[in-house]
Amino acid sequence: MRSPNLQRSSGSKEIWPFNCSVPHVSEAALRALESARGDAESRGDIMLVQAPGRVNLIGEHTDYNGGHALPMATGYAIGVAARRRVGAHHRALSLNYQEETSVLPGGGPEATPHGRWSAYVAGMLQEMERAGRRLRPLSLHICGDIPSGAGLSSSAALCVATGMVVDAIASGCSTPVGMALRAQRVEHEWAKVRCGIMDPLACLLARPGHALLLDCGRLKWHHVPVKLGEVEFVLIDSGVRRKLGATGYNERRQECADALRCLQQSRPKLRHLCDASESDLPDLGGGMHWMRAAHVVRENVRVLAAARALEKCEWEVLGRLMVQSHRSLRDLYQVSCPELDCLVDAALEVPGVLGARMTGGGFGGCTINLVASSAVERLCIEVAERYREVFGCEARTMVLGASLQAGRVAPIPGESFHDLPHGS
Ligand code: GLA
């Protein structure tokens, strides 16, 4: 199967489009700005950036296997407002957690609890410093409305927004791939999740009204227009929250690495598990390694078919691929959970629902549903009812409306933005 024409991202020739203003400013960014304005300890101009959360339409657990994924930005974001402060170190304030933390230069991951918001900020500041962005102490005001732990990549958005604000102040010009790799390292080292590169790339590159077809093995991408109207994408949040580092996520990644090593015995040139084909799978026998690899290889094929269906508005085709993806994640990759399965099964019983699947790493979080616009209300009511009956709790539904874009928010009326001098 041929992949659509993907753009090559090529090192220094890459354009970093994030130093220009974004068309839509998120609520979260405005709240971060407000907080920075009222900060008595800091002074001077305020640099404000935002990064959206993403939802993955299809292509789960393919990114760290060198395959494709099809994420899309949501209308939820994280805003970071930075201002120079008097003092010896950076200070970060989370408006959501009403917590404040000092970031000491040179403090390593051991000093910060894994997976806490402050670990992502501290990790990213250190990554930016390693990349040569030297800064005098800053106050970072952080606010977000991406539900955390829901598989909507709030942590990637936080890393990316922190990196962007530093780059903007230090007049750096990171490439999207460079920035995404830094965010990925923070997940690996500071949150102990061996995740792939999809989330930070999606947060950085997604454009409103488009999905992003990513080739995570070759680091190429292509924006696919999403023509909603006749249909909508609806997110349903199971409310189940698990930190990926405490689930089977890292274990799955290891199982895939083992399956790849096994296939490489007869195909030494095979670089990624996603490059294997259906005909290679029997070499893995019929056990767990076969199950993991069968999911990964077939899911990768589904992503390309889904991107074509999305482009041509073939909604039924796209819906069928989403359902196949969920079943494969449930049965072969074993990363679903009873709550997500219930949400998917209940949705598929509603007339007008074309597709439903879990989205993100799994073990909890959200489902993404493709629904005829006329059936959205019925979907929300009936799925919520079934979920309440079975689990006794509420499932929150969110229609994916206009999506946001990562970048610098400037100018805000009444606020003047001037870069602090380089290296200040
Ligand atoms: C999480 C990870 C991603 C990806 C997905 C599963 O979101 O951060 O890298 O592996 O799970 O597709």
Side-chain angles (χ1 to χ4, degrees):
M1 192 166 299
R2 257 168 45 82
S3 59
N5 188 23
L6 302 185
Q7 282 168 11
R8 175 86 187 118
S9 73
S10 54
S12 59
K13 289 205 194 90
E14 255 173 280
I15 303 161
W16 174 247
F18 310 107
N19 271 341
C20 44
S21 0
V22 293
H24 299 288
V25 181
S26 61
E27 274 300 310
L30 292 176
R31 285 186 50 212
L33 174 69
E34 233 16 79
S35 167
R37 275 177 176 155
D39 182 352
E41 264 191 37
S42 60
R43 60 192 168 82
D45 301 321
I46 300 173
M47 188 62 73
L48 179 63
V49 302
Q50 68 180 24
R54 64 99 190 94
V55 56
N56 192 18
L57 300 181
I58 195 163
E60 228 61 87
H61 293 272
T62 44
D63 62 347
Y64 54 83
N65 286 304
H68 294 84
L70 192 62
M72 191 174 146
T74 63
Y76 303 108
I78 288 193
V80 177
R83 208 172 189 189
R84 212 143 75 178
R85 75 183 291 263
V86 186
H89 38 71
H90 301 303
R91 189 190 66 147
L93 169 77
S94 161
L95 299 185
N96 298 83
Y97 294 98
Q98 286 296 309
E99 281 174 13
E100 210 181 292
T101 184
S102 291
V103 183
L104 300 168
E110 313 71 40
T112 328
H114 305 157
R116 295 277 301 134
W117 70 272
S118 47
Y120 295 107
V121 175
M124 204 61 193
L125 287 171
Q126 203 174 84
E127 281 290 333
M128 295 307 289
E129 203 159 296
R130 261 193 218 152
R133 315 289 189 272
R134 312 232 170 276
L135 295 170
R136 293 228 320 256
L138 292 175
S139 256
L140 300 173
H141 294 250
I142 301 167
C143 183
D145 55 8
I146 309 172
S148 80
L152 301 177
S153 79
S154 57
S155 57
L158 177 56
C159 289
V160 159
T162 306
M164 284 193 308
V165 91
V166 171
D167 232 21
I169 290 171
S171 308
C173 68
S174 302
T175 63
V177 170
M179 189 67 97
L181 287 170
R182 282 176 217 137
Q184 188 188 23
R185 265 197 303 274
V186 171
E187 294 274 7
H188 288 192
E189 288 166 21
W190 294 68
K192 308 293 175 203
V193 182
R194 307 268 318 145
C195 64
I197 200 159
M198 163 175 68
D199 298 351
L201 276 181
C203 296
L204 284 162
L205 294 165
R207 279 191 201 146
H210 291 76
L212 182 73
L213 176 59
L214 280 176
D215 177 340
C216 302
R218 285 150 202 86
L219 296 174
K220 297 178 185 180
W221 53 83
H222 168 78
H223 290 94
V224 182
V226 179
K227 300 165 209 117
L228 297 176
E230 196 185 345
V231 291
E232 296 288 348
F233 284 110
V234 178
L235 271 169
I236 308 186
D237 188 350
S238 67
V240 176
R241 296 287 181 266
R242 280 180 203 135
K243 286 207 165 31
L244 275 187
T247 64
Y249 185 93
N250 290 341
E251 204 181 304
R252 292 294 177 283
R253 188 169 176 153
Q254 187 54 50
E255 291 161 358
C256 288
D258 295 342
L260 174 64
R261 237 188 324 275
C262 179
L263 291 179
Q264 281 168 336
Q265 285 169 9
S266 52
R267 289 192 55 193
K269 290 205 175 124
L270 194 68
R271 261 186 73 206
H272 304 291
L273 194 52
C274 280
D275 296 337
S277 58
E278 191 68 36
S279 58
D280 295 319
L281 295 175
D283 287 3
L284 293 168
M288 183 264 289
H289 287 119
W290 176 86
M291 286 162 67
R292 305 302 185 240
H295 164 75
V296 164
V297 168
R298 294 170 188 169
E299 181 80 349
N300 193 41
V301 173
R302 279 191 285 270
V303 180
L304 297 176
R308 273 193 297 272
L310 185 63
E311 195 139 31
K312 293 193 204 146
C313 299
E314 289 173 351
W315 305 120
E316 291 193 356
V317 176
L318 178 59
R320 271 199 300 277
L321 291 162
M322 290 171 71
V323 175
Q324 285 168 14
S325 167
H326 183 78
R327 297 206 167 125
S328 175
L329 288 158
R330 182 191 65 190
D331 302 335
L332 296 178
Y333 216 69
Q334 299 177 306
V335 290
S336 187
C337 63
E339 291 87 347
L340 291 172
D341 295 340
C342 168
L343 291 177
V344 167
D345 293 343
L348 292 175
E349 279 173 25
V350 178
V353 172
L354 302 164
R357 60 182 290 277
M358 52 155 275
T359 183
F363 307 99
C366 295
T367 62
I368 177 81
N369 301 265
L370 176 64
V371 196
S373 301
S374 55
V376 169
E377 205 180 325
R378 188 159 170 199
L379 166 76
C380 297
I381 296 171
E382 292 187 10
V383 171
E385 259 173 31
R386 169 79 73 80
Y387 200 64
R388 215 174 291 124
E389 263 165 41
V390 180
F391 293 102
C393 48
E394 294 304 312
R396 192 170 149 229
T397 51
M398 301 162 268
V399 178
L400 265 196
S403 49
L404 292 161
Q405 190 174 332
R408 183 162 148 187
V409 180
I412 299 282
E415 190 72 22
S416 73
F417 286 87
H418 301 292
D419 286 2
L420 299 173
H422 180 63
S424 61

